[in-house]
Structures are given as C-alpha cells and as structure tokens.
Amino acid sequence: MLGVLMMNTGTPDAPTPEAIRPYLKQFLSDRNIIHAPRFIWYPVLNLCILPNRPKKTAPNYQAFWTKEGSPFLLTSLAQRDKLRVRLTELAGEPVAVELGMRYGNPSVASALDALFDAGVDHIVALPMYPQDTKACAGTCLEEFDRSLEAALAVRSVAARPTVDKIAYYWNAPGYLDALAQSVREAWSYEPGKKLVVSFHSVPLSYQASGDTYHESTKATALGLASKLGVAPEDLDITYQSRFDSRKWLGPFLNPELRRLAGEGATDVAVVCPIFSVDCIETCVEVDKEAREEFVSAAREAGAETPNFTYVPALGAADSLIDVLANLVMAKTC
C-alpha cells in the first residue's frame, strides 16, 4: 500500500505564551536553523529568548487564530484530505496520506505511526515547500529519516518499506501555472505595476555548502513572471525574515518596497512562493507590516491611493493538489 507523509514547519497548539514556548524551543534547537555552538546558544535560548519572546509573539498568533484553531493547521489538514482523495482516484485503490509537522503537532513520528498502522509498504516523503533549502525541506527530510529509523526499531514489520523523497516541486508540471493563476485571481498586471516575488531568506553560508535555494527561487520568480507576461523592469525578487546578524540572502522585502515607492511605484503585488500555506510570516510580516511599509512610503512620495496586494498561498487549491498527486504517482512507476 502506498503512503504519503506531507511535512511542513508547524504551529503552536494554542496562541498562548505557554503553548508557543515549547514550539519555539523545538524550532530554535534545530541545528539547521541555529548554527551557534550549543554551549553558547542554549543559555541564550533558555535564559533570554524563551522567557520573553513567546509573550511578544502571542498577540500575532491570537490575531491569526480562528474559532476553529490555527489556520495553518486547518489548511494543512485540508491539503492532506484532498491529496488522499486525489491519489486514491489516480491509483484506483486506497492511498494513505498523513500530515507531520517538523515542529509541534502532529509530529512526523506520529504521522509515520499512522502510516505503518495503515499497512503501507511504500512511503513518499513530501515536504510542502516548492523550493529546497536545508532550513525547510532539508530539515523535514532529516526528521523523517530519524523518525523512520526509530519507528522501525520498535515495530515488527515484514520488510523495510520502499522510500522515495520529493525535495522540491517548483519546476513540476503545472506548478507555475497554478501560481500564476493565483496571482491573476488577486491582481491584474499592467505595465508599470510591480510584481514582487518574495521568499524566506537564508544565510549566505548555505550557498557555500551546496544549497541551491538561490537558484531555485530566482528560477521560480522568472518563470512566474513569464507566465504572467510581467516585463523584466516590473519584476522584483526579494527575501524576508532575516533572523540574526549573519549575512543573509537579499535584497530584503521592506527596503525594496520603500525603493519602489520612492521611484514612483503606486501598485505592487507580493507573492511568497516558498509557502504552500499562509502562516504568521505571510499574514503579519508581509500582508500587514510590509503593506504598511509600502503604503506609508508611497504616500510620502506623493501617491494619493497606493495599492498593495498580497497574493495568498495556494493552500488547498485543486491546482496544487493535482501537481502534488502527479508527482507522487510518478514515484510509483
């Protein structure tokens, strides 16, 4: 039986400092995120960051949350359910699909347990990031490997399951078409309007170790612009969410928005293709803070009615589900 383990970053169990703290601790203990020596980093983490940062970020989570729970988790579960249905249609037999978060719940280990309980003998590991970098897809696949070995060590399985991994899908058939359609549904391009394609930044040191993120983000943005017919002078590729004092991949989103406003831009759309599901980063840093940055700068430059459009992540759109289902099915051939 075929099984798919979808993986994403994760979310706290609740929008409270008490729930954010263990989630943040797990995130900031990941060596793919923080490279500082443990004897230096752990005192900073436990004595400075964890007692204070959850209190500061809780209001953002509370504004993001709904009565039903975390939109990030709810959309991820919708992706899981729709992918299960689509794969079952394509395979002509049941396909098990589970969701595991790199940080928080449901965990990758619990998702693997569910797959084994379903009787799978072929697992496709699927990080939900279109572009590959060790801080996103890379760390998810590492956690998958660790959890798989741990599960096999305590389970009686007839044979080791076949494992395939999908590390990225930005260049998969249909993906850029789906992304372009999402932009068209939110924003209409005309010459002079600006399309800003922004990605989560990573330290420049990643490139030296062979990380291909810079190349794949640029190729994604250029491919999207081509699909939309956006002129080269109206395309801007940026990065956001620099985390510490290391040198990070840029240019950064907010300074670029200020530059565009100062040069007379009055209508921009921002799309963030690294995310398959909207999260605190896209909803707060981009749709709220970057919006305020551009509108303020444009008004200072003389624009009366500047327009900022955030293009939502693809989420559980059928177009994305079809792309992922076809990729998974290709692994079974």
Side-chain angles (χ1 to χ4, degrees):
M1 181 181 183
L2 176 63
V4 179
L5 202 168
M6 300 169 58
M7 292 174 282
N8 213 324
T9 304
T11 181
D13 291 335
T16 64
E18 294 76 18
I20 295 169
R21 191 166 290 112
Y23 170 79
L24 188 62
K25 182 174 184 177
Q26 187 181 10
F27 175 73
L28 295 179
S29 297
D30 184 353
R31 290 180 179 271
N32 289 294
I33 305 298
I34 302 296
H35 297 265
R38 303 293 92 175
F39 73 92
I40 294 176
W41 175 241
Y42 280 155
V44 174
L45 175 62
N46 289 295
L47 298 178
C48 299
I49 296 176
L50 293 179
N52 299 305
R53 187 166 179 80
K55 299 175 185 177
K56 295 180 180 179
T57 59
N60 287 336
Y61 280 102
Q62 290 161 6
F64 181 60
W65 234 249
T66 67
K67 293 180 180 179
E68 292 75 23
S70 165
F72 183 88
L73 177 58
L74 294 170
T75 303
S76 297
L77 292 172
Q79 289 178 326
R80 177 202 64 184
D81 295 345
K82 292 183 73 170
L83 184 60
R84 182 186 295 133
V85 170
R86 187 70 181 114
L87 283 171
T88 296
E89 291 173 350
L90 293 175
E93 59 184 10
V95 176
V97 181
E98 296 295 339
L99 173 68
M101 298 299 193
R102 176 61 181 87
Y103 318 105
N105 297 305
S107 67
V108 172
S110 68
L112 274 171
D113 283 340
L115 290 177
F116 279 121
D117 289 343
V120 303
D121 55 15
H122 183 180
I123 301 175
V124 177
L126 175 60
M128 291 297 290
Y129 312 95
Q131 297 79 26
D132 182 22
T133 178
K134 63 181 180 180
C136 296
T139 190
C140 284
L141 291 173
E142 283 185 11
E143 182 66 14
F144 170 82
D145 289 339
R146 285 191 293 266
S147 298
L148 178 61
E149 295 306 318
L152 292 174
V154 299
R155 280 181 172 269
S156 297
V157 294
R160 188 181 184 89
T162 300
V163 172
D164 285 299
K165 299 174 182 178
I166 298 174
Y168 56 89
Y169 54 88
W170 66 268
N171 58 351
Y175 172 72
L176 286 176
D177 292 308
L179 191 61
Q181 184 57 32
S182 73
V183 175
R184 292 190 193 99
E185 291 172 356
W187 180 73
S188 178
Y189 170 70
E190 297 173 1
K193 293 184 177 182
K194 306 298 181 181
L195 176 66
V196 180
V197 188
S198 194
F199 301 86
H200 193 296
S201 187
V202 298
L204 288 177
S205 59
Y206 285 14
Q207 288 180 264
S209 61
D211 197 296
T212 61
Y213 186 62
H214 179 253
E215 291 81 4
S216 63
T217 55
K218 183 177 180 180
T220 301
L222 292 174
L224 174 62
S226 177
K227 294 282 185 184
L228 293 168
V230 173
E233 62 270 21
D234 291 333
L235 172 68
D236 204 354
I237 304 171
T238 70
Y239 301 84
Q240 80 274 342
S241 301
R242 177 178 176 174
F243 189 77
D244 55 31
S245 60
R246 288 175 290 178
K247 294 182 178 180
W248 287 61
L249 186 59
F252 298 117
L253 174 60
N254 284 10
E256 281 297 288
L257 289 174
R258 289 195 298 270
R259 179 185 67 79
L260 290 173
E263 293 176 354
T266 60
D267 192 314
V268 303
V270 180
V271 59
C272 299
I274 184 61
F275 300 100
S276 65
V277 180
D278 278 314
C279 57
I280 287 291
E281 183 172 328
T282 58
C283 293
V284 176
E285 292 187 39
V286 180
D287 195 18
K288 181 178 182 293
E289 295 174 357
R291 176 188 298 276
E292 293 170 352
E293 191 84 24
F294 174 75
V295 170
S296 175
R299 285 175 175 162
E300 288 176 4
E304 293 185 4
T305 56
N307 181 66
F308 178 103
T309 300
Y310 170 67
V311 180
L314 286 170
D318 290 341
S319 55
L320 175 60
I321 300 303
D322 283 343
V323 169
L324 299 176
N326 289 330
L327 276 177
V328 170
M329 291 305 299
K331 292 293 185 180
T332 68
C333 298

